[in-house]
Amino acid sequence: MRIVKPESLHQQAYHIIKSEILEGVYQPSERIVEAKAASKLGISRGPVREAIRMLIQDGLLVYNDGYVKVYTPTVQDVIDLFQCRESLEALAISLAIHNISENEKEKLQENLIASYQANEKKDIIELGKLDQAFHDIIIYASKNKQLTELLEMIRAKIHYMRSNMVKENFYPTLVEEHERIIDLLFSGDEKGAQEYIRQHIRKGLDGVLMHIDKSVSK
């Protein structure tokens, strides 16, 4: 992938490198060489340096032994991240009950149909994308900008962890649980929706921990 869009070079570099990290092009602990990345993108090293700085701020890259490397999460990192996600998404669905638009409701229904189809085809990659989109719709429906920004960083790290640490479909009841979340959201059951999405996220954590790659440090 090379730079093509008419926007700031460092922003383009940031989005491209971030996408490659999330999709597993770069592996955990892999070194990111500024000059090599710049050559690959067809730009100078300055914008790449700024993109790397932004990705370090996001927590997807780290300084390690004097080098910039891809973040390697520990088991405790996974647990900590899901605990944050649980509390924040419980707040998000509570706010979404009061603020969700008709268009967002339609998007949730469409997502559910597509998720059932992907599940039938055992398309794990597509199902993962739909799962992420499902939660995003609810988060954006909260209409709370600060909450959305907090969850964006968490969402990126969780996507990275699932892409690099989980090698199979670990969550057979995922789609049915999404349907239940929609029912609670649309019915306005704030307490029920909060508790159910907490359970849903805890089950997701259990699934990640059950299938976590043995090479991840503890």
Side-chain angles (χ1 to χ4, degrees):
M1 189 181 297
R2 294 175 69 87
I3 298 295
V4 292
K5 295 181 180 179
E7 58 183 24
S8 63
L9 292 179
H10 75 274
Q11 283 286 348
Q12 293 181 67
Y14 166 77
H15 290 301
I16 291 171
I17 297 170
K18 180 179 180 179
S19 176
E20 290 179 338
I21 292 170
L22 295 180
E23 299 306 323
V25 175
Y26 293 106
Q27 296 299 305
S29 295
E30 183 175 346
R31 184 182 169 193
I32 302 295
V33 180
E34 188 181 290
K36 185 177 178 181
S39 176
K40 180 180 177 181
L41 293 171
I43 58 176
S44 65
R45 293 170 63 173
V48 172
R49 189 178 304 119
E50 177 62 16
I52 287 173
R53 186 195 66 77
M54 294 166 68
L55 288 163
I56 289 171
Q57 191 172 34
D58 287 349
L60 292 173
L61 294 179
V62 296
Y63 278 114
N64 193 332
D65 298 327
Y67 300 107
V68 176
K69 296 183 179 180
V70 179
Y71 167 60
T72 303
T74 65
V75 172
Q76 190 58 51
D77 288 338
V78 177
I79 294 169
D80 292 348
L81 206 60
F82 270 82
Q83 285 176 341
C84 292
R85 181 189 176 195
E86 180 186 324
S87 293
L88 292 173
E89 287 208 32
L91 174 59
I93 200 166
S94 177
L95 294 171
I97 283 174
H98 302 286
N99 297 315
I100 193 168
S101 67
E102 289 302 316
N103 182 52
E104 287 164 335
K105 287 182 178 181
E106 289 176 8
K107 286 182 179 179
L108 283 174
Q109 294 283 23
E110 291 167 0
N111 180 285
L112 185 65
I113 292 168
S115 295
Y116 271 116
Q117 292 171 344
N119 200 37
E120 277 186 28
K121 296 175 183 176
K122 301 189 185 304
D123 188 339
I124 307 307
I125 294 175
E126 180 63 17
L127 190 58
K129 291 178 181 177
L130 288 164
D131 176 36
Q132 183 171 295
F134 177 86
H135 287 270
D136 284 349
I137 295 166
I138 294 173
I139 292 163
Y140 293 133
S142 74
K143 306 298 189 291
N144 185 310
K145 183 181 177 182
Q146 299 303 319
L147 178 61
T148 301
E149 289 179 356
L150 286 170
L151 278 163
E152 167 61 27
M153 186 178 295
I154 289 174
R155 182 177 68 85
K157 280 194 172 183
I158 287 177
H159 178 68
Y160 167 72
M161 288 174 179
R162 283 175 56 169
S163 296
N164 290 279
M165 298 161 69
V166 180
K167 309 303 181 184
E168 58 185 281
N169 183 11
F170 63 90
Y171 205 161
T173 60
L174 176 80
V175 186
E176 290 83 356
E177 290 183 24
H178 281 187
E179 185 168 15
R180 178 60 179 156
I181 289 168
I182 288 175
D183 289 341
L184 291 165
L185 176 59
F186 288 7
S187 68
D189 184 351
E190 191 170 340
K191 184 177 179 180
Q194 281 189 311
E195 182 53 37
Y196 196 83
I197 205 163
R198 283 181 178 275
Q199 293 174 14
H200 177 69
I201 291 169
R202 285 183 209 135
K203 191 177 288 187
L205 171 60
D206 290 342
V208 171
L209 294 177
M210 187 182 301
H211 296 90
I212 203 165
D213 195 297
K214 301 299 182 183
S215 66
V216 175
S217 59
K218 297 185 179 181

